[in-house]
Amino acid sequence: MIILDTSAVKALADGHKTLNLLAGNMARTPADRLNIPALCLMQAEADDENLSRRVLAFSAVVVDGLDTMAAVSVGTMIRDGYGGPDTCHALYCALPRPEFTGMSILLTGNESAYPPGVVTVDIDSPGMLGFH
């Protein structure tokens, strides 16, 4: 599962070349999706009016909602000092889940915001799409 945190969502909306290429490629593969945690989308929209329209226009984008279990887990992470609501929701989405057995990859512009053990990829790293 590929997850975009707030910084990656903002970059996608602003036309980040690599992220736009990734979104376009994923749109051609029915099972592939870019997952955006709802609180990351909320924060990005709060910072930039109408950003959500630009991001949700990509057919490969899905929003990962904040259900009861997620709300409790994200609240616990915030209380325990793992970051703000959007960072903790992205972290929650990157954790293993019963409905997804593969490895989650968290795309971000701020890898240091996440604890060790979380697979993060900087959106500006030269090898993000396998190119060097």
Side-chain angles (χ1 to χ4, degrees), residues 33-71:
R33 296 284 175 255
L34 293 174
N35 293 288
I36 299 176
L39 294 181
C40 292
L41 183 61
M42 176 211 63
Q43 185 61 55
E45 177 66 24
D47 294 343
D48 183 359
E49 186 178 4
N50 296 320
L51 173 140
S52 60
R53 289 182 186 182
R54 297 190 305 272
V55 170
L56 296 174
F58 289 97
S59 62
V61 167
V62 295
V63 177
D64 203 316
L66 191 67
D67 62 14
T68 304
M69 190 63 191

Side-chain angles (χ1 to χ4, degrees), residues 71-94:
V72 171
S73 299
V74 169
T76 301
M77 288 179 195
I78 295 167
R79 184 189 63 232
D80 291 347
Y82 285 96
D86 59 330
T87 300
C88 289
H89 194 196
L91 180 57
Y92 172 81
C93 290

Side-chain angles (χ1 to χ4, degrees), residues 65-130:
L66 191 67
D67 62 14
T68 304
M69 190 63 191
V72 171
S73 299
V74 169
T76 301
M77 288 179 195
I78 295 167
R79 184 189 63 232
D80 291 347
Y82 285 96
D86 59 330
T87 300
C88 289
H89 194 196
L91 180 57
Y92 172 81
C93 290
L95 296 174
R97 302 190 212 192
E99 66 271 15
F100 181 75
T101 57
M103 178 178 22
S104 294
I105 299 170
L106 181 56
L107 300 182
T108 181
N110 184 14
E111 288 182 291
S112 64
Y114 300 97
V118 177
V119 179
T120 58
V121 175
D122 188 311
I123 59 173
D124 293 318
S125 68
M128 189 174 106
L129 289 178

